Amino acid sequence: MEQKNTIEVFGTINKRETVFTIDDKVEPGTLVFESLEPFPGYYHETPFDTKPIYMYIALQEHYPLETIIRATQEVEKVFDEKFDAGKGFLTMYDTTYNVLRVRHLNRYDLIGTLQKAYAANGIQFLAKTRKNLKEKANIKVVKFFSLEEIDPGIYLDLKERFHAYIELPAHYTWEEFDALSNRVKYNWSESKFDAAVGAFYHKGRLREFVRIYSNKLSLEYLQQLKKLYLEKVKLPQ
């Protein structure tokens, strides 16, 4: 029986999304952002797909990662519906918000109940000071990855459908990465994809990667994308 090359690591993902504030179904007076398009490069091209719900709930203070994980584990014991939560940072203009990233909720009316469950476990939420906001934001999420390496430097996510990761040879700022991905997309004729940049630590070094979101994640598709990214990359001098 073939043994899968699986790894479990913590890492980060950086992306840029348009977010807007919401008032309905949330705890009164709290600041909650929803992503207009969590995977804009993909959903622009596939308008008939169902858009996932991605929420960013602003926190009153900076909580250590282990505090968020402990609270999440306690909430999962009493919250009957499926959800996934992670620690993140959302930057808009010159303000950075500590946020709880929430996804995989089936219904909007669960958001307030989920907030109450976190509050009961010591996680407090930031009071809303801005209304009717809709802007682009830089988002960084700290998350746990469960991956299978299917080819050198190419990984499939074992927990999240349509997610894959391709190692890059260097670290890139968002602006550098966005320019690189645009060069790739201009020369890409296959099925569309959304891209984000991130890193995880494995076997003694930090692995920089591009996160690919697509429903066409065959090995051949990812190998072609990897080849094109490496062709278009500009290594720092």
Side-chain angles (χ1 to χ4, degrees):
M1 183 176 181
E2 184 180 357
Q3 185 176 3
K4 291 184 177 180
N5 186 11
T6 61
I7 62 172
E8 295 182 340
V9 291
F10 274 100
T12 60
I13 285 183
N14 295 274
K15 51 188 178 175
R16 181 171 291 167
E17 298 174 3
T18 298
V19 299
F20 58 96
T21 52
I22 60 173
D23 297 306
D24 293 338
K25 313 299 185 183
V26 306
E27 278 291 271
T30 60
L31 180 61
V32 180
F33 300 96
E34 181 178 0
S35 176
L36 181 64
E37 290 175 309
F39 305 102
Y42 180 76
Y43 281 95
H44 276 163
E45 302 295 333
T46 54
F48 298 107
D49 283 354
T50 301
K51 188 195 78 169
I53 297 175
Y54 271 62
M55 300 286 178
Y56 300 96
I57 307 174
L59 303 176
Q60 193 175 80
E61 61 185 87
H62 171 78
Y63 292 99
L65 178 60
E66 59 269 24
T67 300
I68 297 293
I69 294 173
R70 288 191 188 105
T72 299
Q73 290 174 344
E74 291 302 313
V75 171
E76 288 172 339
K77 295 176 183 178
V78 299
F79 197 75
D80 293 332
E81 301 288 340
K82 178 183 176 183
F83 75 97
D84 180 76
K87 175 184 172 65
F89 306 90
L90 185 151
T91 301
M92 191 181 300
Y93 304 117
D94 294 328
T95 302
T96 296
Y97 300 95
N98 294 285
V99 295
L100 183 71
R101 190 271 287 126
V102 176
R103 60 184 177 179
H104 299 328
L105 274 178
N106 292 324
R107 308 193 313 272
Y108 283 93
D109 60 3
L110 296 172
I111 301 169
T113 305
L114 187 64
Q115 286 180 275
K116 289 177 181 176
Y118 271 95
N121 285 278
I123 304 299
Q124 303 301 316
F125 299 103
L126 188 67
K128 176 182 286 189
T129 57
R130 311 178 77 168
K131 293 184 177 181
N132 303 319
L133 190 64
K134 181 181 176 182
E135 293 291 343
K136 286 189 178 295
N138 291 329
I139 298 167
K140 179 177 182 178
V141 177
V142 183
K143 61 169 289 183
F144 174 80
F145 296 88
S146 180
L147 307 175
E148 178 188 356
E149 188 171 18
I150 59 173
D151 205 51
I154 299 177
Y155 306 83
L156 287 180
D157 197 308
L158 298 178
K159 296 182 68 177
E160 294 297 324
R161 295 176 65 205
F162 309 145
H163 287 63
Y165 309 88
I166 298 171
E167 285 193 37
L168 295 174
H171 168 71
Y172 301 94
T173 65
W174 174 258
E175 288 71 21
E176 293 168 339
F177 172 75
D178 194 41
L180 169 61
S181 287
N182 284 334
R183 292 196 297 272
V184 169
K185 290 178 179 181
Y186 291 153
N187 292 273
W188 181 251
S189 59
E190 302 298 325
S191 177
K192 301 298 182 181
F193 64 92
D194 181 68
V197 68
F200 61 81
Y201 191 80
H202 180 56
K203 290 187 176 180
R205 71 180 181 90
L206 200 61
R207 314 294 177 112
E208 312 287 347
F209 64 75
V210 49
R211 188 272 286 135
I212 302 296
Y213 182 93
S214 170
N215 66 351
K216 306 289 186 182
L217 297 181
S218 67
L219 177 57
E220 181 182 6
Y221 179 91
L222 293 170
Q223 286 173 329
Q224 291 175 357
L225 260 183
K226 178 183 177 181
K227 180 182 179 187
L228 191 54
Y229 262 96
L230 294 180
E231 286 176 357
K232 300 301 178 182
V233 75
K234 291 183 179 179
L235 294 174
Q237 300 298 315

